[in-house]
Amino acid sequence: MEAGNSTEVPQFLLLGLSEDPELQPVLFGLFLSMYLVTVLGNLLIILAVGSDPHLHSPMYFFLSHLSFVDICFTSTTVPKTLVNIQTQSKDISYVGCLTQVYFFVVFAGLDNFLLTVMAYDRYMAVCQPLHYSAIMNPRLCRLLVLACWFTVSWVSLLHILLMVRLTFCAGTEIPHFFCELGQVLTAACSDALINDIVLYVATALLGVFPLTGVLFSYYQIVSSIARMASTEGRCKAFSTCGSHLSVVSLFYGTSLGVYLSAAVTHSPQRSSTASVMYTVVTPMLNPFIYSLRNRDVKGALGRLLS
């Protein structure tokens, strides 16, 4: 059955996190509460950055974009999960699954790239403070964000164009609570070797390379801080990176945990449970990290809410 014709493959079945009927209300309440907190928290960050002149700097420009991406990231998967739990249905259409894969790859990739761009911004602020304002000008900031969007959009589109060539059986089961690309390729009835190769290359492009950029930036930052003679200067320099470093550790730590969980247990059910950490929990915690660890954001939120 050709997957290119959505009328021949009307739907996939998302098995979700658990089939226990007694757990469904609990899962619905958890997902709904986390989703609302995620949207509200990141929306407050966006409003605070936009309304407070003190936050009109490159770091907070990138932070507002990260908050927007986090809202979109969770909105790609959670609403459909809530609908399926509430209606006691596991269905997702072929077109709906491809759409979910496309936007999931886009926003996951954007998270990686934006964290890398923010690490570069911190590197310039700490290691090149005299040239920071001249280099990190508004035009460069907009170009960096635009380049992130352009790259991940085309990579995600390539995945979709390759997926429509695959064949899927009617009622294909996906052992996940959303259409995760790797699980969808595994469920294909035809040979997905080319798709797998492209997936590995894309993982390197959207994951490994950005992480390498983050590690290199922080290596330079730590080296620069270590050369500072003043303890007060070291603390001040490190405080500018604390929030971003916490977010980076949380995002890549949970992503690595999901990968290792899948590699060790070989259990799709446990892998999908672990993936809740980076798809839902991490975007929910990011606003708390920045608002609690950053005085400027905390002050802007206070003025916004008052």
Side-chain angles (χ1 to χ4, degrees), residues 136-279:
M136 298 302 295
N137 56 72
R139 181 173 179 271
L140 177 63
C141 293
R142 288 192 291 268
L143 285 176
L144 287 173
V145 172
L146 185 62
C148 294
W149 278 94
F150 180 82
T151 303
V152 297
S153 297
W154 278 102
V155 170
S156 186
L157 181 61
L158 177 60
H159 282 304
I160 299 303
L161 293 177
L162 291 174
M163 281 181 64
V164 297
R165 300 170 57 252
L166 298 177
T167 301
F168 294 93
C169 301
T172 297
E173 294 184 346
I174 300 176
H176 218 297
F177 66 93
F178 67 95
C179 285
E180 197 267 332
L181 178 57
Q183 296 289 352
V184 175
L185 296 182
T186 302
C189 298
S190 57
D191 184 21
L193 177 61
I194 296 177
N195 299 72
D196 290 333
I197 294 174
V198 173
L199 176 59
Y200 291 133
V201 174
T203 301
L205 175 63
L206 302 182
V208 178
F209 289 166
L211 177 58
T212 303
V214 171
L215 294 176
F216 176 78
S217 296
Y218 273 102
Y219 170 77
Q220 295 294 329
I221 290 172
V222 171
S223 299
S224 180
I225 292 176
R227 290 193 296 268
M228 294 180 179
S230 169
T231 304
E232 182 181 353
R234 292 179 181 179
C235 295
K236 184 177 180 180
F238 185 76
S239 66
T240 64
C241 309
S243 299
H244 177 258
L245 187 58
S246 299
V247 170
V248 167
S249 302
L250 183 63
F251 180 79
Y252 284 107
T254 53
S255 300
L256 182 62
V258 171
Y259 175 79
L260 293 177
S261 173
V264 173
T265 64
H266 300 288
S267 171
Q269 198 74 20
R270 291 186 179 181
S271 177
S272 63
T273 303
S275 66
V276 174
M277 286 299 298
Y278 78 91
T279 56

Side-chain angles (χ1 to χ4, degrees), residues 17-29 85:
L17 297 176
S18 173
E19 296 185 4
D20 187 350
E22 295 181 357
L23 282 179
Q24 301 311 306
V26 177
L27 292 174
F28 182 85
I85 294 176

Side-chain angles (χ1 to χ4, degrees), residues 12 92-102 163 174 179 184:
F12 292 139
I92 184 171
S93 67
Y94 174 72
V95 174
C97 188
L98 290 187
T99 303
Q100 198 173 65
V101 168
Y102 176 81
M163 281 181 64
I174 300 176
C179 285
V184 175

